[in-house]
Each structure stands twice: as structure tokens, then as C-alpha cells.
Amino acid sequence: MAERTRVIEVVPYDAEWKIQFERIKEMIVGYIGDLVLAVEHVGSTSVEGLSAKPIIDLDVVMDSYDVLPTIIERLEQAGFEHQGNLGIEGREAFRRTYDDGFMKYHLYVCPKDGKGYLEHIAFRDYLRANEEAKKEYEALKQRLAEAYRYDIDSYVDRKTAFVRDILNKTIYKTDDSKKARESG
């Protein structure tokens, strides 16, 4: 089972997160770089200026599930435990089995057309491009971290409406003019 956050702590943005991501990415590419298309920094630590839980989220992008068995094998040899999808379709979670000296991180392997990956990128890119949304999300996260300091499930659940709203503005947006024509 994935390591669960015991205490929710949202801290101010730290430029070191970019550096840490690059170091972790370099390690991962060393193990499976020939099998994957990209390693993306996702999650709040990937948005410059956004307060976040100090945990790097990485989406390792594969072309198809055909390469997953080899990825699992190589990552296991490198000291990672495959955890399955943890209930989220379109991603495979991995956990380091020993302290590797990096800051805390979550490693996910996703197909290039996977829902989870596409949502992560859309949400990240929207926050990077929209200062007002970034500030609103930051304030929400800080309020929730105070209110649910020891309850990660409630913290995550109460962010869902905000995240869904952003996704509805991006990858799930509908063509309002098409709707109007169809209803008219």
C-alpha cells in the first residue's frame, strides 16, 4: 500500500523542488529511459510559486502497456515495489523500498493516452498559466490543511470540486455553440 501522509503540511513554494525533480528524473531515466517517452513533473510542486505538500509527483509516460512488464522488472531490480493502480485506472504506482536520499516523491507509470496522466498535465498547465486560479487553489489547500491536518482523505476529497472545475475548463470542456445549436 502507498505510504499515506500522516500530517498534512502545505509549505511555501521552494525552487529546490525543480532541482529535486530533475535528480529523481535522472535516476528513473537511468533505469527505464529506453522504455518510456517522458518523465513529467506533475502535482503542486511542479507549479512555480504554488504552496504545496513537499512531495514530488512524477508521471513516467509509456507508449503502451506492452512495456509495463519490463518496466516493473527493472524498477523492482532498482529497489522499487510495484503497487498496482491503487484504485486509479490508467496509472501504476511504485514505492521505493529503502531511503534513497531524495526528498519524498510519488512515482507513477502511465500510458501516454491515460486519463490520469492527461488530467495531471491539463491541471498543471492551467495553474501555470492562470495566476488567479493558482492563488485560489493555494488558499483552498492551506485552509484544508489546517482543517484536516490528520485526515488526508478529507483533504483530498474537498479539493475535488476545484480540480474538476479546472478539468471541465480544459480537457473536458464542451463546445457551448454546438450545445446551443443542438438544443435550438
Side-chain angles (χ1 to χ4, degrees):
M1 191 70 185
E3 182 181 329
R4 297 185 52 83
T5 303
R6 289 189 172 92
V7 178
I8 299 153
E9 179 184 29
V10 173
V11 301
Y13 178 80
D14 186 340
E16 178 69 20
W17 294 340
K18 280 184 186 180
I19 296 164
Q20 288 289 317
F21 163 75
E22 290 298 333
R23 288 180 60 221
I24 298 164
K25 175 183 174 180
E26 185 178 323
M27 173 189 60
I28 297 302
V29 167
Y31 300 140
I32 59 173
D34 60 318
L35 299 172
V36 300
L37 304 174
V39 179
E40 293 281 351
H41 188 184
V42 295
S44 294
T45 61
S46 70
V47 180
E48 193 169 328
L50 179 62
S51 295
K53 296 189 313 291
I55 303 167
I56 304 292
D57 290 318
L58 299 99
D59 279 0
V60 177
V61 186
M62 61 185 170
D63 189 48
S64 75
Y65 277 98
D66 294 344
V67 296
L68 183 61
T70 306
I71 290 172
I72 292 170
E73 181 181 322
R74 286 197 200 166
L75 288 177
E76 285 178 347
Q77 289 171 356
F80 287 89
E81 174 188 2
H82 179 227
Q83 300 176 290
N85 70 13
L86 301 177
I88 298 180
E89 197 69 33
R91 77 164 196 203
E92 299 293 320
F94 291 83
R95 181 182 69 81
R96 193 63 155 185
T97 58
Y98 62 90
D99 182 358
D100 57 13
F102 295 112
M103 70 180 283
K104 188 173 180 183
Y105 60 93
H106 295 150
L107 178 64
Y108 303 105
V109 175
C110 313
K112 66 182 179 189
D113 56 355
K115 178 181 175 186
Y117 168 67
L118 297 174
E119 287 181 350
H120 283 166
I121 297 301
F123 188 70
R124 177 198 69 189
D125 291 352
Y126 187 87
L127 291 179
R128 284 179 173 176
N130 293 274
E131 190 65 28
E132 192 58 40
K134 180 170 70 175
K135 287 179 182 175
E136 187 180 338
Y137 189 52
E138 180 175 65
L140 174 64
K141 288 164 48 103
Q142 290 169 333
R143 282 194 313 273
L144 293 174
E146 274 186 40
Y148 301 102
R149 189 162 195 77
Y150 304 100
D151 183 357
I152 188 66
D153 293 330
S154 293
Y155 171 83
V156 170
D157 288 347
R158 283 166 175 75
K159 291 189 312 178
T160 301
F162 183 91
V163 173
R164 183 66 40 208
D165 183 55
I166 299 299
L167 294 176
N168 286 340
K169 292 176 184 177
T170 58
I171 60 175
Y172 300 125
K173 66 182 172 185
T174 57
D175 182 350
D176 291 333
S177 60
K178 182 181 174 185
K179 281 184 171 179
R181 285 192 307 269
E182 290 173 355
S183 66

